[in-house]
Amino acid sequence: MIVQPTAHSRLGEQDFNNLPFGSLFTDHMLVANYENNAWQAPQIVPFGRFEMSPSLSALNYGQSIFEGMKAFVNEQGEALTFRPHENFERMNRSAVRMCMPEIPEHIFIDGLKALLKIDNKWIPRQEGASLYIRPVMFATDEAVGVKPSDSYKFCIIACPVATYFKEPLKVVIEQQYIRAAQGGVGFAKAAGNYASAMYPTKLIQEKGYHQIIWTDAVEHKYLEESGAMNLMLVINNTLITPVLSDSKLAGVTRSSLLHIARTWGLTVEERLISADELVQAHANGTLQEVFGAGTAANIAAIKLFHYQGTDYELPAVNSESFQIKGGNYLNQLKQGKVPDVFNWNITIPA
Ligand SMILES: *Cc1c(COP(=O)(O)O)cnc(C)c1O
């Protein structure tokens, strides 16, 4: 790995007790270019801007994909990253669908390790805070004309972030707009998926809600997922989550929580779940929990859902609720505070 360390670290100027979310970046970034049908040598360089042409292929035709993960430090000050090979493989599934080149493991994983090694001191030591890591790849040809770009840039950037304290969410089960359809790109972390979700999300936020729960594109009946989180329910002590399909993003948080639940002996179901079933379970008192699962928030509690003109309040959670018990356990695993029984962490010495 070619490493060009910064001559002017910004670390000393930061107030780690008042971190913005997502706008403060560490001293370095990983950059690798794809040119002449091959990935060129990756480099760690000082974080900074790129020059670009308005004809940049990514801007005009949207070949742009990303990933999201977090790092913590353990008591020895070593960086811990959680299941990064899952993100690596998912990014390459996104790449294939968007007609972009797959990234070799030595660039993604070794690049991540090199970045976390050189920027170890940027990983917040405060309780609950973490380093949010953003791998991103975009098309860099400078020409208009719809075709796959011949050149790409892959980067890994990282920002220290505070605990994602958030009030429990009020969500709307959306039946007019859709996020993804069968045969589309919903399973990919493709930039355009987030752009197309913004307008419908703005509309529900103007009415005082926080997030959308998308439904299927054909019948607007089956629950899909939220903006950047998978959806989970507990009905009658069974953990239920919409079964994966090409319209849903296969979350690492989702798969980890399902694995933990199964290990604990809980009944887990991955299947279609309709909004009507949710309303019915609410009516007969068997609906115990609804929550979101994703890297940024870990668990996002949901306190109310809106469906076809009615607000439905959810029961209060307690220390026995799966979202609390499972969520806390997953957090502790990521922070190295409980034994890594599933071998999920990769440790990177400072
Ligand atoms: C990133 C994302 C998730 C959550 O995935 P994690 O790997 O758990 O962070 C869920 N849904 C969408 C649409 C996402 O973009």
Side-chain angles (χ1 to χ4, degrees):
M1 186 82 42
I2 305 160
V3 178
Q4 186 194 325
T6 180
H8 305 283
S9 173
R10 291 173 280 105
L11 185 61
E13 306 156 20
Q14 312 308 330
D15 176 3
F16 273 70
N17 293 312
N18 281 300
L19 292 169
F21 195 96
S23 56
L24 170 68
F25 296 94
T26 65
D27 279 330
H28 300 91
M29 61 182 178
L30 175 106
V31 181
N33 295 324
Y34 184 88
E35 288 158 9
N36 306 318
N37 298 312
W39 284 102
Q40 310 298 309
Q43 298 192 37
I44 299 275
V45 295
F47 180 89
R49 298 195 168 101
F50 298 126
E51 262 190 33
M52 60 172 194
S53 158
S55 66
L56 195 80
S57 177
L59 297 180
N60 289 274
Y61 306 114
Q63 279 183 300
S64 176
I65 58 175
F66 65 94
E67 269 301 325
M69 51 217 288
K70 276 183 172 178
F72 294 88
V73 279
N74 63 14
E75 280 190 342
Q76 293 79 49
E78 298 165 320
L80 296 179
T81 51
F82 188 73
R83 306 182 75 183
H85 286 86
E86 299 291 320
N87 299 87
F88 163 64
E89 286 168 11
R90 187 170 68 192
M91 187 144 195
N92 279 340
R93 291 196 298 272
S94 300
V96 169
R97 180 62 181 83
M98 304 306 287
C99 211
M100 300 165 82
E102 291 181 67
I103 302 152
E105 181 166 343
H106 75 90
I107 295 183
F108 189 104
I109 298 287
D110 297 351
L112 174 68
K113 288 181 181 174
L115 182 65
L116 288 176
K117 198 175 171 75
I118 195 167
D119 281 341
N120 175 288
K121 293 223 155 48
W122 282 88
I123 307 172
R125 267 61 180 172
Q126 285 81 351
E127 174 59 32
S130 61
L131 190 72
Y132 185 79
I133 301 162
R134 167 56 52 89
V136 58
M137 194 213 305
F138 54 92
T140 52
D141 276 8
E142 297 182 352
V144 293
V146 184
K147 68 171 190 61
S149 179
D150 289 325
S151 62
Y152 297 85
K153 211 179 257 303
F154 171 68
C155 309
I156 307 179
I157 56 177
C159 23
V161 295
T163 333
Y164 211 72
F165 277 131
K166 252 189 149 181
E167 52 177 328
L169 302 176
K170 297 196 266 182
V171 300
V172 173
I173 298 176
E174 174 67 51
Q175 293 191 290
Q176 181 182 358
Y177 298 100
I178 61 158
R179 171 182 178 275
Q182 195 187 345
V185 299
F187 69 91
K189 249 178 153 59
N193 284 341
Y194 304 85
S196 62
M198 286 176 188
Y199 177 68
T201 304
K202 186 186 82 160
L203 295 182
I204 64 104
Q205 287 176 347
E206 283 169 358
K207 294 183 178 160
Y209 301 96
H210 302 106
Q211 283 292 333
I212 284 176
I213 303 295
W214 300 101
T215 55
D216 71 278
V218 178
E219 297 180 81
H220 303 302
K221 183 173 161 187
Y222 296 103
L223 306 177
E224 294 263 306
E225 60 175 322
S226 185
M229 294 185 302
N230 293 112
L231 184 69
M232 296 203 164
L233 324 172
V234 179
I235 298 178
N236 229 344
N237 296 321
T238 297
L239 180 65
I240 308 172
T241 191
V243 64
L244 291 178
S245 68
D246 63 0
S247 64
K248 301 183 199 86
L249 203 290
V252 180
T253 316
R254 174 189 183 278
S255 101
S256 305
L257 287 170
L258 294 183
H259 192 79
I260 289 167
R262 287 180 172 124
T263 305
W264 288 355
L266 288 172
T267 310
V268 174
E269 292 176 2
E270 297 178 67
R271 59 171 172 84
L272 291 180
I273 173 151
S274 68
D276 288 335
E277 181 181 348
L278 187 64
V279 169
Q280 233 167 50
H282 182 271
N284 66 25
T286 53
L287 179 60
Q288 294 155 290
E289 303 182 41
V290 183
F291 57 95
T295 295
N298 198 42
I299 299 282
I302 296 175
K303 67 173 177 188
L304 177 153
F305 68 92
H306 178 95
Y307 181 57
Q308 295 186 338
T310 307
D311 282 346
Y312 297 88
E313 280 195 40
L314 291 160
V317 294
N318 58 51
S319 59
E320 287 306 300
S321 304
F322 181 74
Q323 64 182 280
I324 304 288
K325 252 179 130 165
N328 286 345
Y329 180 68
L330 181 57
N331 256 331
Q332 289 179 325
L333 265 178
K334 292 183 182 179
Q335 296 174 47
K337 291 179 175 167
V338 293
D340 185 16
V341 291
F342 307 119
N343 263 318
W344 278 343
N345 282 324
I346 289 193
T347 307
I348 300 136

